[in-house]
Amino acid sequence: MKPVGDNLKPKTTVRVTYGPTKRSLALITPPMAADWPMLGPDGNMGSKFGPDAPDKAVYVVGLADRALEGVDQHRVAHLFTVLNLIDERVSDFVYAHQKDVLGTRDLSPEAVRGKMSAAVKQRYDGDTPLYKRMNVSVRCLDYNGNRRALPQLDCNRQPLAEGHEIKHEDLLMAAIQLDMFYSMTNVFGVKWAPVQLMLLRRRADQAPPTPADIWANVGVPQWATADPPPAPPLPGSNAYAGMHVDGQHHFESSGFN
């Protein structure tokens, strides 16, 4: 596909949706460990690897299967299996449309998968595997330059006060959504964003009893709770046949993102 002007270039947009109505993908996690979150008013601005400009700062938190009190390893493993299945569907689509998405022609499915930044990554200490985690992040400012609200609640569904945000190795649950598909020269993947976070236990505290309806009526988006939860998929099954990965071409000015 050729550009239509000197300052225009063709670009392929990929959308990842679910079900016949192509709804947004959203999940509620089991209890997990917070891994090096940056959830203060300025997000990761001014951190070691963070930006210096407010318009590039993000709220970020790792969701990990660390062996801490309250982390349900079985349910977290199931969540990570679901995320890996989604990655596989996206990778299959990119392989079938690699010329439009990656600008390549003859890469094998394995080579295309090797370019994918997986949602779930293994953390190591040298060569020793430690734990698995996924990163979720969202910009601190919206497109109008206003500060974005990322609700953080306690077990009583009350907002956490500023300065008492979720910290490293706290126990939490998160409502997350698939935010976007991205691709660059040598890497592609899907980005997950937090919608709401709930603190279950501070690192130094005993785990309190948590009600079964802990997420009821706390502002989780309607599309995240409208359908009954599906039966747990088996690895390698076709349980996610309803997920859609669509590609379409449009022209975008090279001066804008």
Side-chain angles (χ1 to χ4, degrees), residues 41-42 44-45 51-58 139-142 145 147:
D42 297 322
N44 68 342
M45 188 175 74
D52 296 324
D55 61 331
K56 296 183 179 179
V58 298
R139 286 189 179 270
C140 296
L141 303 182
D142 62 22
R147 186 163 298 279

Side-chain angles (χ1 to χ4, degrees), residues 18 25-27 75-89 119-120 192 230-235 239-240 243:
Y18 185 81
L25 276 167
L27 301 167
R75 293 178 65 194
V76 174
H78 173 68
L79 170 68
F80 285 171
T81 297
V82 170
L83 295 172
N84 288 333
L85 288 171
I86 292 172
D87 279 356
E88 287 178 11
R89 292 295 301 273
V120 179
W192 292 86
L234 296 175
Y240 286 86
M243 197 182 82

Side-chain angles (χ1 to χ4, degrees), residues 4 61 67 123 148 150 159 164 175:
V4 296
V61 57
R123 308 293 290 184
R148 189 189 306 271
L150 175 58
H164 296 272

Side-chain angles (χ1 to χ4, degrees), residues 123-192:
R123 308 293 290 184
Y124 293 90
D125 181 9
D127 295 329
T128 304
L130 294 179
Y131 56 90
K132 294 179 180 178
R133 62 168 274 173
M134 70 173 298
N135 244 25
V136 294
S137 63
V138 64
R139 286 189 179 270
C140 296
L141 303 182
D142 62 22
Y143 291 107
N144 294 319
N146 301 316
R147 186 163 298 279
R148 189 189 306 271
L150 175 58
Q152 299 180 60
L153 309 176
D154 61 19
C155 278
N156 297 317
R157 305 171 187 167
Q158 298 300 312
L160 298 179
E162 186 173 322
H164 296 272
E165 295 86 4
I166 293 170
K167 307 295 184 183
H168 180 58
E169 292 189 348
D170 285 349
L171 188 70
L172 81 159
M173 293 173 67
I176 61 175
Q177 66 178 354
L178 196 151
D179 187 26
M180 61 180 290
F181 171 92
Y182 64 89
S183 64
M184 293 174 278
T185 304
N186 291 311
V187 66
F188 69 92
V190 292
K191 175 183 171 296
W192 292 86

Side-chain angles (χ1 to χ4, degrees), residues 21 50 54 61 68 85 93 95 103 113 129 146 180 185 211 236-237 251:
T21 58
V61 57
L68 301 176
L85 288 171
F93 177 87
Y95 166 70
R113 185 59 191 265
N146 301 316
M180 61 180 290
T185 304
S237 72
F251 288 97

